[in-house]
C-alpha cells in the first residue's frame, strides 16, 4: 500500500508537500486536508511535490484546485513538481493556474528555465481565444 | 431513578430491551423496520404517540418521516427548524429532552397540542457522530418519564438511526440512477450521414457525474458533448443534470464552442461554487466534413480516419470547469473525411490505479479503428474494461461519418 498521507517539510522559507504515489477518491480527502493546512502555514511558497506520484485522477485534481483557491485567497504562491502525472495536470489545464516544474530543485529556485510548463499568458496563436487577459494565472474563483 | 428495583421490575426492563433490540427486526426491510420499531417503542414505553423526524441538511429543518399514533405529522409534512421548539431543541443540543407541559411556548407543532399531548420525551438520532434526526414519544396523560425510559428510547433511536442511514443511502442510489437514466439519451438523434453509439457504465454499483449528449442545432450543425462532474452519487448526478441543460441552452445562443464553455463555466462558478467538471464540446458542420472542438480539461477524442491508425485529436488543453475565472478557451477545427470514426470518452475508461494514463490512452488508440460505431464501441469496451470491475463510472460516445454512398 502506498503512503496515503502527504508529508510537509521545509526548505528555507518554502513548505514542500510530498505527495503519495497514487491519488484517487480513496485518499484525496486526506490529501486535500494536508494541502490546505500546508497553505495555512505562512510559507513564502508552497511546493506540491508530485515527483513520486504515478497516478492522479479527478479527485486528486480537485484537491489541488481547492488548495489553489485557498492559496490565491491568502496570497500564497503555489508551485507544482510533476513528471509521470504531468500529462494529466497539463490536460486539465492546471498549468494555467500553477507553474509546473520537472524537479524539486527547479521548483524551489522558482526559475523559469527548464520548466515543464508555465502559466501561459492569454491568447496563444492559432485558435479562438475567449476571455482571459494578459495576466495569468487567472484570478481565483470567488475573488 | 428507581432505587430499589424489584426482581420483577428488572425482568420487565430486560423484556422491554429485547423487544427493541429483537434480531427479528433485522429481517424487515428498512422502511418496515422503522414503522415496527415505532410501534414497539410506543408499546414498551406505554406512550400514545411515537414519531421520527429526519434532518434535511440543505434547509436545516427536521421533517416528520414516520409516526405511530401521530400519522398526521407525516401526512402534513411537518417541518421544525433546528434549534426551535421541542424537536428542534433536541437536534441542536444533541441530548434527550423531557417536556412536562406541552404548550405554545415549548412546542411549535400545533398537531401535538391538538392531539392533547401533555408530556413529551425525545432523543437525538445520531449516526457517525452527527445528528440525523429526532425520535420522540408523547403521552396524553400527565406522567413522569424516568431515566430508564430515556435509556430505552435512546436504544430505539440508535436502532432507528441505522435503518435510516441505510434507507437514505439506498434512496440516493436509486434517485441517482433514475436521474442518470432520464438524462442520458438512449435514443440518439438521427443525423444524416452520421452513425452514433454510446455506453454508460456506473462504477462500483453507484452512478457518478459522467454524461454524454447529442443534439442538432437550428444551424443544421450537430452538437456532441462528453463530460464528467468530479464526485459520485446523487450530488454529482444532480450537478451533471444542471450542466447538461445549461450547455444545451448556451449551444442555442452561440455557435462558438469556446463561448458556450465560457458561459457554462461562469454559470457553474456562480451557482455551483466548489463543483469541478471536465467537458468537451464538439460542433460538426452541416456536411459533417469539419468539427470544431473545445475542451475544458477533458481528454481529447481519439480519431481514426478510414484505413489509418487512430490518434489523439490535437485539441488545446483548457482549464476544467469551476477552477478559476477567466480561463482561456481555444477551439480546434479538424477535418473529418468520410468513414472517419471519433471516440469521445470519460476518464474512467482509461484511468486505472497502478497504470500510467499513457498506457490507457495507448490501449484506446489501438482499439479504435474506422468501423461501424456500434462495433467500435464494443471493441473499445472489450479492450479497456473487459471483465474487471471499475471504480469510476464510464461514458463512451462513438461518432462515425458514414463513408460516401452508404446510409
Amino acid at each position: 500500500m502506498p503512503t496515503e498521507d502527504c508529508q510537509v517539510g521545509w526548505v528555507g522559507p518554502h513548505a514542500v508537500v510530498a505527495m503519495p504515489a497514487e491519488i484517487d477518491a480513496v485518499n484525496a480527502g486526506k490529501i486535500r486536508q494536508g494541502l490546505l493546512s500546508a497553505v495555512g502555514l505562512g510559507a513564502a511558497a508552497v511546493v506540491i511535490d508530485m515527483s513520486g506520484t504515478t497516478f492522479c485522477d479527478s479527485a486528486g485534481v480537485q484537491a489541488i484546485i481547492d488548495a489553489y483557491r485557498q492559496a490565491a485567497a491568502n496570497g500564497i504562491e503555489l508551485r507544482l513538481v510533476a513528471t509521470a502525472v504531468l500529462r494529466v495536470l497539463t490536460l486539465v489545464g492546471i498549468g494555467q493556474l500553477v507553474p509546473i516544474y520537472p524537479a524539486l530543485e527547479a521548483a524551489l529556485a522558482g526559475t523559469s528555465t527548464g520548466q515543464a510548463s508555465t502559466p501561459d499568458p492569454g491568447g496563444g496563436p492559432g485558435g479562438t481565444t475567449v476571455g482571459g487577459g494578459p495576466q495569468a494565472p487567472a484570478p481565483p474563483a470567488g475573488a | 431513578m428507581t432505587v430499589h428495583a424489584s426482581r420483577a421490575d428488572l425482568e420487565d426492563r430486560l423484556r422491554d430491551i429485547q423487544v427493541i433490540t429483537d434480531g427479528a427486526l433485522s429481517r424487515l426491510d428498512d422502511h418496515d423496520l422503522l414503522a415496527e420499531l415505532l410501534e414497539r417503542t410506543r408499546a414498551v414505553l406505554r406512550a400514545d404517540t411515537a414519531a421520527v423526524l429526519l434532518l434535511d441538511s440543505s434547509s436545516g429543518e427536521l421533517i416528520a418521516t414516520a409516526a405511530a399514533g401521530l400519522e398526521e405529522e407525516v401526512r402534513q409534512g411537518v417541518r421544525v427548524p433546528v434549534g426551535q421548539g421541542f424537536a428542534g431543541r433536541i437536534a441542536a443540543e444533541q441530548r434527550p429532552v423531557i417536556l412536562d407541559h406541552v404548550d405554545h411556548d415549548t412546542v411549535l407543532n400545533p398537531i401535538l397540542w391538538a392531539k392533547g399531548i401533555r408530556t413529551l420525551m425525545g432523543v437525538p438520532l445520531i449516526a457517525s457522530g452527527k445528528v440525523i434526526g429526532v425520535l420522540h414519544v408523547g403521552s396524553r396523560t400527565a406522567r413522569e418519564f424516568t431515566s430508564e425510559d430515556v435509556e430505552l428510547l435512546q436504544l430505539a433511536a440508535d436502532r432507528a438511526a441505522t435503518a435510516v442511514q441505510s434507507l437514505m443511502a439506498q434512496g440516493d442510489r436509486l434517485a441517482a440512477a433514475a436521474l442518470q437514466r432520464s438524462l442520458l439519451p438512449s435514443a440518439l438523434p438521427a443525423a444524416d450521414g452520421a452513425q452514433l453509439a454510446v455506453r454508460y457504465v456506473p462504477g462500483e454499483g453507484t452512478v457518478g457525474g459522467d454524461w454524454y449528449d447529442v443534439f442538432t442545432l437550428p444551424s443544421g450543425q450537430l452538437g456532441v458533448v462528453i463530460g464528467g462532474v468530479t464526485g459520485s452519487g446523487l450530488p454529482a448526478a444532480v450537478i451533471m443534470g444542471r450542466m447538461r441543460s445549461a450547455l444545451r441552452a448556451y449551444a442555442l445562443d452561440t455557435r462558438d464552442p469556446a463561448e458556450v464553455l465560457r458561459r457554462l463555466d461562469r454559470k457553474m462558478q456562480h451557482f455551483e461554487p466548489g463543483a469541478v467538471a471536465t467537458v468537451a464540446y464538439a460542433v460538426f458542420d452541416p456536411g459533417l466534413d469539419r468539427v470544431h472542438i473545445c475542451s475544458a480539461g477533458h481528454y481529447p477524442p481519439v480519431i481514426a480516419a478510414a484505413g489509418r491508425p487512430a490518434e489523439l485529436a490535437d485539441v488545446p488543453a483548457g482549464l476544467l470547469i469551476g477552477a478559476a475565472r477567466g480561463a482561456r478557451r481555444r477551439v480546434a477545427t479538424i477535418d473529418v473525411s468520410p468513414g472517419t470514426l471519433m471516440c469521445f470518452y470519460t476518464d474512467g475508461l482509461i484511468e486505472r490505479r497502478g497504470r500510467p494514463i499513457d498506457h490507457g490512452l495507448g490501449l484506446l488508440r489501438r482499439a479504435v479503428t474506422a468501423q461501424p460505431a456500434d462495433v467500435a464501441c464494443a471493441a473499445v469496451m472489450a479492450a479497456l474494461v473487459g471483465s474487471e470491475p471499475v471504480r469510476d463510472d464510464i461514458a463512451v460516445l462513438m461518432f462515425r461519418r458514414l463513408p460516401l454512398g452508404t446510409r
Side-chain angles (χ1 to χ4, degrees):
Chain A
M1 201 67 189
T3 318
E4 296 287 343
D5 300 74
C6 41
Q7 314 269 324
V8 183
W10 288 85
V11 180
H14 305 307
V16 178
V17 189
M19 303 285 267
E22 302 192 321
I23 307 169
D24 66 5
V26 175
N27 57 357
K30 272 187 182 173
I31 284 158
R32 179 179 177 277
Q33 282 310 316
L35 289 175
L36 291 181
S37 59
V39 165
L41 292 175
V46 174
V47 179
I48 305 176
D49 184 1
M50 301 180 80
S51 55
T53 304
T54 53
F55 180 84
C56 178
D57 79 354
S58 57
V61 168
Q62 175 143 28
I64 295 169
I65 286 171
D66 289 346
Y68 162 76
R69 286 196 184 116
Q70 183 77 35
N74 296 358
I76 304 283
E77 192 192 335
L78 208 60
R79 299 173 194 168
L80 266 166
V81 182
T83 48
V85 292
L86 175 64
R87 177 132 186 195
V88 173
L89 298 180
T90 308
L91 200 119
V92 297
I94 294 261
Q96 292 178 32
L97 300 178
V98 184
I100 307 176
Y101 298 85
L104 182 58
E105 297 70 42
L108 289 169
T111 49
S112 56
T113 47
Q115 273 184 220
S117 156
T118 46
D120 192 353
T128 313
T129 303
V130 183
Q135 304 91 10
Chain B
M1 193 79 185
T2 319
V3 180
H4 300 290
S6 69
R7 190 174 170 82
D9 282 347
L10 283 172
E11 281 174 2
D12 283 353
R13 194 53 50 178
L14 270 175
R15 203 180 47 242
D16 290 348
I17 292 170
Q18 267 168 0
V19 166
I20 286 168
T21 56
D22 184 3
L25 278 172
S26 307
R27 288 196 284 277
L28 298 171
D29 76 40
D30 295 311
H31 208 270
D32 294 344
L33 186 150
L34 211 53
E36 178 64 23
L37 191 65
L38 285 180
E39 278 302 343
R40 289 185 183 199
T41 303
R42 186 165 69 143
V44 160
L45 288 165
R46 291 170 299 281
D48 296 302
T49 63
V52 165
L53 296 95
L54 294 182
L55 179 64
D56 172 27
S57 49
S58 61
S59 67
E61 289 175 316
L62 294 161
I63 300 174
T65 305
L70 199 61
E71 284 73 12
E72 45 274 75
E73 255 206 16
V74 178
R75 298 205 177 115
Q76 296 177 21
V78 165
R79 286 169 175 258
V80 181
V82 169
Q84 293 180 35
F86 169 67
R89 219 179 104 198
I90 297 167
E93 296 173 9
Q94 309 199 13
R95 62 177 187 84
V97 172
I98 293 172
L99 266 192
D100 298 329
H101 303 286
V102 171
D103 58 31
H104 295 56
D105 292 331
T106 52
V107 172
L108 283 184
N109 177 6
I111 296 172
L112 290 168
W113 339 316
K115 277 264 176 186
I117 303 293
R118 302 270 298 274
T119 315
L120 278 167
M121 165 173 67
V123 296
L125 256 60
I126 294 177
S128 311
K130 278 192 217 151
V131 172
I132 60 165
V134 167
L135 165 62
H136 66 66
V137 291
S139 168
R140 280 198 199 88
T141 51
R143 63 177 279 190
E144 208 169 298
F145 285 112
T146 64
S147 60
E148 281 159 349
D149 292 336
V150 172
E151 280 166 23
L152 265 179
L153 191 62
Q154 191 64 62
L155 209 57
D158 294 344
R159 192 73 198 261
T162 311
V164 163
Q165 266 208 312
S166 152
L167 263 180
M168 289 199 292
Q170 203 179 316
D172 273 13
R173 271 200 301 279
L174 290 175
L179 195 61
Q180 274 279 2
R181 270 199 305 279
S182 71
L183 291 175
L184 297 182
S186 48
L188 301 169
D192 273 350
Q195 200 176 48
L196 296 156
V198 289
R199 289 284 191 283
Y200 174 77
V201 182
E204 283 187 358
T206 176
V207 299
D210 282 5
W211 91 101
Y212 56 78
D213 200 6
V214 184
F215 43 80
T216 51
L217 291 164
S219 59
Q221 292 177 305
L222 180 74
V224 170
V225 183
I226 188 107
V229 175
T230 301
S232 65
L234 193 55
V238 166
I239 291 174
M240 175 276 274
R242 291 177 185 150
M243 288 189 73
R244 175 182 179 268
S245 48
L247 193 149
R248 282 185 159 210
Y250 297 134
L252 284 181
D253 286 349
T254 170
R255 296 172 62 153
D256 178 2
E259 179 61 16
V260 168
L261 293 191
R262 197 183 66 75
R263 292 181 189 185
L264 180 65
D265 197 7
R266 181 164 161 256
K267 189 248 181 197
M268 292 295 294
Q269 289 190 37
H270 184 77
F271 290 108
E272 318 282 346
V276 167
T278 67
V279 186
Y281 176 40
V283 179
F284 290 83
D285 283 349
L288 302 177
D289 55 346
R290 271 195 326 175
V291 62
H292 312 275
I293 307 177
C294 185
S295 166
H298 201 88
Y299 283 107
V302 169
I303 302 188
R308 298 189 43 197
E311 57 188 31
L312 208 57
D314 188 12
V315 177
L319 186 62
L320 26 65
I321 300 284
R325 281 191 197 167
R328 284 175 304 111
R329 302 268 170 230
R330 288 186 290 162
V331 175
T333 294
I334 296 167
D335 290 331
V336 182
S337 56
T340 295
L341 186 91
M342 287 180 74
C343 173
F344 298 86
Y345 52 94
T346 54
D347 50 9
L349 182 69
I350 55 168
E351 291 180 353
R352 296 286 180 278
R353 256 187 119 121
R355 148 180 130 184
I357 61 151
D358 281 323
H359 182 73
L361 283 170
L363 286 177
L364 181 60
R365 273 206 316 275
R366 284 191 291 282
V368 172
T369 53
Q371 54 182 333
D374 53 347
V375 179
C377 229
V380 161
M381 295 306 281
L384 281 111
V385 182
S387 57
E388 63 180 307
V390 287
R391 198 190 53 75
D392 231 354
D393 52 345
I394 296 173
V396 173
L397 187 147
M398 211 63 82
F399 164 95
R400 188 188 191 207
R401 182 180 174 198
L402 289 171
L404 295 176
T406 53
R407 276 201 52 86

